[in-house]
Amino acid sequence: MMRRVVLDTNIVLSALLFTSGRLAWIRHAWQGQQLQPLVCKETVNELLRVLAYPKFKLAADEQKELLADFLPYADVVELPNPWPDLPVCRDEKDQVFLVLAQAGHADMLVTGDADLLVMRGVFPGLILTADELEQAQRADMAQPARAKLRMARKPKKTI
């Protein structure tokens, strides 16, 4: 099952920049069509801005390469104007992720940002950490194996 997910900028950055890092599996999941990242003009602009930070020391062609490993897998969502009336995030710059999740009919919003994580009670089941997403992905992958095991154990009916 491919989940529609909003990945906050830091999650995308970690998955792209640290190919052997803790979140590299997320990159493999979108490349393997297990996750469908959702983006909008505002979140792509934020990603472009952050990739250009001097601390990452990425040349323009390196930035383009990283974007080419993400954007073709993403579903672009046009946000409504005006934005819907949703509970307000204490960091106004993060509100776009909530709007994108709603407008894009996301299954999950994946973040490590405390300003979004504190809103879990308002959006039950929507806002997850990357570790929680990984647990959910593993559980989904185990489902078919368990179903096959149950089927193998059922006694065959005789006619």
Side-chain angles (χ1 to χ4, degrees):
M1 166 176 92
M2 184 159 52
R3 289 190 165 96
R4 294 175 60 80
V5 297
V6 172
L7 304 170
D8 83 9
T9 306
N10 287 327
I11 299 288
V12 175
L13 276 175
S14 293
L16 287 173
L17 291 175
F18 308 109
T19 56
S20 298
R22 189 175 67 82
L23 301 183
W25 71 270
I26 293 177
R27 182 183 197 171
H28 300 298
W30 74 58
Q31 290 172 337
Q33 298 182 344
Q34 296 164 341
L35 295 177
Q36 172 72 69
L38 303 178
V39 297
C40 62
K41 180 178 65 174
E42 292 85 349
T43 60
V44 170
N45 284 339
E46 166 76 358
L47 182 58
L48 290 168
R49 186 178 65 79
V50 174
L51 281 171
Y53 282 177
K55 70 178 180 180
F56 294 127
K57 299 177 182 167
L58 295 170
D61 59 327
E62 292 171 309
Q63 293 173 35
K64 285 179 187 175
E65 268 184 54
L66 291 171
L67 289 170
D69 280 343
F70 176 64
L71 292 178
Y73 300 97
D75 187 10
V76 179
V77 175
E78 189 169 331
L79 299 186
N81 189 9
W83 284 2
D85 187 24
L86 295 173
V88 178
C89 184
R90 63 188 185 195
D91 181 349
E92 64 186 34
K93 292 180 291 196
D94 289 333
Q95 190 71 21
V96 68
F97 296 106
L98 297 170
V99 174
L100 176 57
Q102 193 224 26
H105 307 287
D107 298 308
M108 300 170 179
L109 188 167
V110 183
T111 184
D113 188 306
D115 294 319
L116 288 167
L117 290 171
V118 76
M119 298 187 75
R120 290 172 180 234
V122 181
F123 297 98
L126 177 69
I127 301 172
L128 278 72
T129 65
D131 291 339
E132 291 165 339
L133 173 61
E134 185 175 24
Q135 290 171 358
Q137 287 292 106
R138 285 185 180 173
D140 280 356
M141 292 171 72
Q143 288 290 349
R146 278 185 245 153
K148 286 179 187 174
L149 187 59
R150 279 194 302 273
M151 289 180 68
R153 288 183 187 159
K154 284 185 180 179
K156 295 186 179 182
K157 291 184 181 181
T158 55
I159 302 178

